[in-house]
Amino acid sequence: MANLNGKTLFITGASRGIGKEIALRAARDGANVAIIAKTDSPHPKLPGTIYTAAEEIEQAGGKALALKTDIRDEDQIADAVAKTVEAFGGIDILINNASAINLTPTLHTPMKRYDLMSQVNTRATFACAQACLPHLLKSDNPHILTMSPPPNMSPQWFVNHPAYTMSKYGMSLATFGLAAEFADEGVGVNSLWPATVIETAALNMIPGLEAGRARKPEILADAAHAILTSPAKQVTGGFFTDECILAAIGITDFEPYNLTPGKDPYPDFFYEPDKNGANDPHVASLLKIIASQHAG
């Protein structure tokens, strides 16, 4: 089975949560990880820094490079890319994981918050891809993986927080566009989204949730690993959920990922079983390729 040994990952928002778990999963293969985040000193409300994440990655068997970076600034992105290439010799994988969330209706969304979500979510996804692509094109199996949902135009996903939804769908449109543009160059460009709520710092932004009804971020790390170890030329333009990826590689018992044993997690935003994952014909064809890659 393919692994990520020796591959270099450029991961935004990798100091904690899903980004860090993806980094740790790659580190166990012996990967190099550039940790792209702003937190370089302890935060009173958020766990971890780029340096504590780097320590964990090194302990897991990988090599880490902690780079304080504000991904709203293209010059800082360019500098982080240059330092990553200098340290590791190239970039094989870009993970657009960093995201800003503000679940407010239009009349209660300050433009400062709108701009933050637009810049961190949509703009930075494009900017990081633009900066990394010259190096990805030199890789033998280049991937861009963005943590964004399958575009779902149901009004329920707009009615309460249109600004947030627009910014997340902007990330998904980047997957559409980049997958089409770089298909002939063999860059695999895909999106991954959780079927259920994940235990991260962003969970505190969602009111009214019963404690413990979430999954661990490891489920997304395992799903991401399956995508990133698949042939980029063949697996591209997909909007996957963690569940459909894991089912394709033979993991159908998701209970071990539950934060609280015996408690069913809440479904995540934008997730409707009949409109996501394997029910899409293109995704179904990609899942067959991923399954064959990981058979045995």
mmCIF file of all heavy atoms in Angstrom, residues 6 10 14 41 45 48 55 74 84 93 100 105 171 182 187 192 205 227 247 262 271 279-280 287:
data_model
loop_
_atom_site.group_PDB
_atom_site.id
_atom_site.type_symbol
_atom_site.label_atom_id
_atom_site.label_comp_id
_atom_site.label_asym_id
_atom_site.label_seq_id
_atom_site.Cartn_x
_atom_site.Cartn_y
_atom_site.Cartn_z
ATOM 1 N N GLY A 6 8.669 10.514 2.828
ATOM 2 C CA GLY A 6 9.477 11.427 2.030
ATOM 3 C C GLY A 6 8.708 12.521 1.315
ATOM 4 O O GLY A 6 9.318 13.424 0.724
ATOM 5 N N PHE A 10 2.318 20.870 2.737
ATOM 6 C CA PHE A 10 2.162 22.275 3.124
ATOM 7 C C PHE A 10 0.730 22.387 3.641
ATOM 8 O O PHE A 10 -0.229 22.333 2.858
ATOM 9 C CB PHE A 10 2.394 23.155 1.894
ATOM 10 C CG PHE A 10 2.450 24.634 2.139
ATOM 11 C CD1 PHE A 10 3.673 25.285 2.303
ATOM 12 C CD2 PHE A 10 1.293 25.407 2.146
ATOM 13 C CE1 PHE A 10 3.741 26.669 2.475
ATOM 14 C CE2 PHE A 10 1.347 26.782 2.326
ATOM 15 C CZ PHE A 10 2.574 27.417 2.487
ATOM 16 N N ALA A 14 -2.386 24.090 10.640
ATOM 17 C CA ALA A 14 -1.886 22.789 11.109
ATOM 18 C C ALA A 14 -1.433 22.801 12.560
ATOM 19 O O ALA A 14 -0.888 21.810 13.033
ATOM 20 C CB ALA A 14 -0.725 22.336 10.226
ATOM 21 N N SER A 41 2.562 31.468 19.945
ATOM 22 C CA SER A 41 2.650 31.489 21.403
ATOM 23 C C SER A 41 1.310 31.010 21.960
ATOM 24 O O SER A 41 0.283 31.096 21.272
ATOM 25 C CB SER A 41 2.968 32.901 21.912
ATOM 26 O OG SER A 41 1.986 33.820 21.478
ATOM 27 N N LYS A 45 -7.507 30.677 24.703
ATOM 28 C CA LYS A 45 -8.718 29.899 24.430
ATOM 29 C C LYS A 45 -8.509 28.743 23.466
ATOM 30 O O LYS A 45 -9.413 27.918 23.290
ATOM 31 C CB LYS A 45 -9.810 30.827 23.881
ATOM 32 C CG LYS A 45 -10.288 31.885 24.859
ATOM 33 C CD LYS A 45 -11.420 32.714 24.257
ATOM 34 C CE LYS A 45 -11.909 33.776 25.243
ATOM 35 N NZ LYS A 45 -13.018 34.595 24.648
ATOM 36 N N GLY A 48 -2.472 24.553 21.620
ATOM 37 C CA GLY A 48 -1.378 24.327 20.692
ATOM 38 C C GLY A 48 -0.831 25.553 19.991
ATOM 39 O O GLY A 48 -1.491 26.584 19.861
ATOM 40 N N GLU A 55 6.699 19.619 17.433
ATOM 41 C CA GLU A 55 7.234 18.603 18.337
ATOM 42 C C GLU A 55 6.480 17.283 18.183
ATOM 43 O O GLU A 55 7.093 16.205 18.131
ATOM 44 C CB GLU A 55 7.143 19.093 19.784
ATOM 45 C CG GLU A 55 8.102 20.220 20.125
ATOM 46 C CD GLU A 55 7.909 20.729 21.541
ATOM 47 O OE1 GLU A 55 7.102 20.133 22.280
ATOM 48 O OE2 GLU A 55 8.565 21.721 21.913
ATOM 49 N N GLU A 74 -0.503 37.391 0.717
ATOM 50 C CA GLU A 74 0.156 36.564 -0.295
ATOM 51 C C GLU A 74 1.679 36.608 -0.198
ATOM 52 O O GLU A 74 2.358 35.640 -0.568
ATOM 53 C CB GLU A 74 -0.292 36.939 -1.711
ATOM 54 C CG GLU A 74 -0.010 38.359 -2.129
ATOM 55 C CD GLU A 74 -1.194 39.281 -1.876
ATOM 56 O OE1 GLU A 74 -1.940 39.048 -0.898
ATOM 57 O OE2 GLU A 74 -1.366 40.246 -2.651
ATOM 58 N N THR A 84 9.738 26.379 2.760
ATOM 59 C CA THR A 84 9.431 24.952 2.696
ATOM 60 C C THR A 84 10.266 24.266 1.629
ATOM 61 O O THR A 84 10.845 23.199 1.857
ATOM 62 C CB THR A 84 7.929 24.741 2.400
ATOM 63 O OG1 THR A 84 7.150 25.359 3.427
ATOM 64 C CG2 THR A 84 7.588 23.262 2.329
ATOM 65 N N ILE A 93 2.265 18.129 -1.706
ATOM 66 C CA ILE A 93 0.857 18.153 -1.308
ATOM 67 C C ILE A 93 0.531 19.483 -0.628
ATOM 68 O O ILE A 93 1.265 19.939 0.252
ATOM 69 C CB ILE A 93 0.542 17.004 -0.327
ATOM 70 C CG1 ILE A 93 0.695 15.647 -1.031
ATOM 71 C CG2 ILE A 93 -0.866 17.140 0.255
ATOM 72 C CD1 ILE A 93 0.761 14.462 -0.080
ATOM 73 N N ALA A 100 -12.228 30.166 8.603
ATOM 74 C CA ALA A 100 -12.858 31.073 9.566
ATOM 75 C C ALA A 100 -14.361 30.835 9.526
ATOM 76 O O ALA A 100 -14.936 30.591 8.461
ATOM 77 C CB ALA A 100 -12.542 32.519 9.220
ATOM 78 N N PRO A 105 -26.717 35.647 10.478
ATOM 79 C CA PRO A 105 -27.484 36.086 9.306
ATOM 80 C C PRO A 105 -26.956 37.420 8.795
ATOM 81 O O PRO A 105 -26.140 38.087 9.448
ATOM 82 C CB PRO A 105 -28.909 36.204 9.852
ATOM 83 C CG PRO A 105 -28.742 36.477 11.310
ATOM 84 C CD PRO A 105 -27.502 35.726 11.728
ATOM 85 N N MET A 171 -14.416 27.978 -1.591
ATOM 86 C CA MET A 171 -13.334 26.993 -1.522
ATOM 87 C C MET A 171 -13.637 25.805 -2.436
ATOM 88 O O MET A 171 -12.760 25.284 -3.130
ATOM 89 C CB MET A 171 -13.140 26.507 -0.082
ATOM 90 C CG MET A 171 -12.725 27.601 0.892
ATOM 91 S SD MET A 171 -12.729 27.070 2.631
ATOM 92 C CE MET A 171 -11.250 26.035 2.678
ATOM 93 N N PHE A 182 -5.898 21.925 -14.218
ATOM 94 C CA PHE A 182 -4.636 21.190 -14.121
ATOM 95 C C PHE A 182 -4.800 19.678 -14.314
ATOM 96 O O PHE A 182 -3.911 18.910 -13.964
ATOM 97 C CB PHE A 182 -3.961 21.491 -12.781
ATOM 98 C CG PHE A 182 -3.464 22.908 -12.699
ATOM 99 C CD1 PHE A 182 -4.252 23.897 -12.131
ATOM 100 C CD2 PHE A 182 -2.234 23.257 -13.239
ATOM 101 C CE1 PHE A 182 -3.814 25.215 -12.082
ATOM 102 C CE2 PHE A 182 -1.785 24.562 -13.198
ATOM 103 C CZ PHE A 182 -2.573 25.553 -12.627
ATOM 104 N N VAL A 187 -2.361 16.989 -11.714
ATOM 105 C CA VAL A 187 -2.519 17.402 -10.318
ATOM 106 C C VAL A 187 -3.891 16.935 -9.828
ATOM 107 O O VAL A 187 -4.917 17.279 -10.425
ATOM 108 C CB VAL A 187 -2.398 18.929 -10.160
ATOM 109 C CG1 VAL A 187 -2.533 19.321 -8.686
ATOM 110 C CG2 VAL A 187 -1.079 19.429 -10.730
ATOM 111 N N LEU A 192 -12.630 17.497 0.722
ATOM 112 C CA LEU A 192 -13.033 16.512 1.735
ATOM 113 C C LEU A 192 -13.842 17.222 2.802
ATOM 114 O O LEU A 192 -13.498 18.331 3.217
ATOM 115 C CB LEU A 192 -11.780 15.869 2.349
ATOM 116 C CG LEU A 192 -11.999 14.869 3.489
ATOM 117 C CD1 LEU A 192 -12.787 13.651 3.006
ATOM 118 C CD2 LEU A 192 -10.652 14.442 4.081
ATOM 119 N N MET A 205 -18.407 27.312 18.239
ATOM 120 C CA MET A 205 -19.139 28.355 17.518
ATOM 121 C C MET A 205 -20.571 27.933 17.190
ATOM 122 O O MET A 205 -21.369 28.736 16.726
ATOM 123 C CB MET A 205 -18.409 28.683 16.212
ATOM 124 C CG MET A 205 -16.982 29.171 16.396
ATOM 125 S SD MET A 205 -16.914 30.822 17.099
ATOM 126 C CE MET A 205 -17.592 31.787 15.749
ATOM 127 N N ILE A 227 -6.874 9.510 0.207
ATOM 128 C CA ILE A 227 -6.895 10.324 -1.015
ATOM 129 C C ILE A 227 -5.474 10.653 -1.465
ATOM 130 O O ILE A 227 -5.125 10.507 -2.644
ATOM 131 C CB ILE A 227 -7.691 11.627 -0.789
ATOM 132 C CG1 ILE A 227 -9.156 11.329 -0.471
ATOM 133 C CG2 ILE A 227 -7.593 12.535 -2.024
ATOM 134 C CD1 ILE A 227 -9.936 12.538 0.017
ATOM 135 N N ALA A 247 -15.353 3.973 3.797
ATOM 136 C CA ALA A 247 -16.111 2.806 3.350
ATOM 137 C C ALA A 247 -15.470 2.182 2.120
ATOM 138 O O ALA A 247 -15.425 0.952 1.979
ATOM 139 C CB ALA A 247 -17.558 3.198 3.058
ATOM 140 N N GLY A 262 -20.953 5.239 22.154
ATOM 141 C CA GLY A 262 -22.390 5.038 22.277
ATOM 142 C C GLY A 262 -23.233 6.264 21.971
ATOM 143 O O GLY A 262 -24.463 6.170 21.900
ATOM 144 N N TYR A 271 -24.336 18.512 4.894
ATOM 145 C CA TYR A 271 -24.374 17.072 4.649
ATOM 146 C C TYR A 271 -25.811 16.578 4.549
ATOM 147 O O TYR A 271 -26.592 16.692 5.491
ATOM 148 C CB TYR A 271 -23.659 16.305 5.761
ATOM 149 C CG TYR A 271 -23.688 14.805 5.535
ATOM 150 C CD1 TYR A 271 -22.912 14.225 4.537
ATOM 151 C CD2 TYR A 271 -24.507 13.974 6.299
ATOM 152 C CE1 TYR A 271 -22.943 12.860 4.311
ATOM 153 C CE2 TYR A 271 -24.536 12.610 6.076
ATOM 154 C CZ TYR A 271 -23.756 12.061 5.087
ATOM 155 O OH TYR A 271 -23.794 10.711 4.856
ATOM 156 N N ASN A 279 -23.175 8.825 -3.904
ATOM 157 C CA ASN A 279 -24.352 8.973 -4.751
ATOM 158 C C ASN A 279 -24.075 9.820 -5.988
ATOM 159 O O ASN A 279 -24.870 9.850 -6.916
ATOM 160 C CB ASN A 279 -25.500 9.601 -3.942
ATOM 161 C CG ASN A 279 -26.024 8.659 -2.880
ATOM 162 O OD1 ASN A 279 -26.350 7.513 -3.167
ATOM 163 N ND2 ASN A 279 -26.078 9.117 -1.646
ATOM 164 N N ASP A 280 -22.952 10.511 -5.995
ATOM 165 C CA ASP A 280 -22.539 11.266 -7.167
ATOM 166 C C ASP A 280 -21.768 10.334 -8.102
ATOM 167 O O ASP A 280 -20.804 9.697 -7.684
ATOM 168 C CB ASP A 280 -21.651 12.428 -6.745
ATOM 169 C CG ASP A 280 -21.167 13.254 -7.916
ATOM 170 O OD1 ASP A 280 -20.194 12.820 -8.568
ATOM 171 O OD2 ASP A 280 -21.741 14.312 -8.168
ATOM 172 N N LEU A 287 -14.020 6.676 -6.186
ATOM 173 C CA LEU A 287 -13.937 5.790 -5.027
ATOM 174 C C LEU A 287 -13.483 4.386 -5.434
ATOM 175 O O LEU A 287 -12.766 3.718 -4.683
ATOM 176 C CB LEU A 287 -15.287 5.721 -4.312
ATOM 177 C CG LEU A 287 -15.711 6.987 -3.565
ATOM 178 C CD1 LEU A 287 -17.147 6.854 -3.068
ATOM 179 C CD2 LEU A 287 -14.767 7.288 -2.402
#
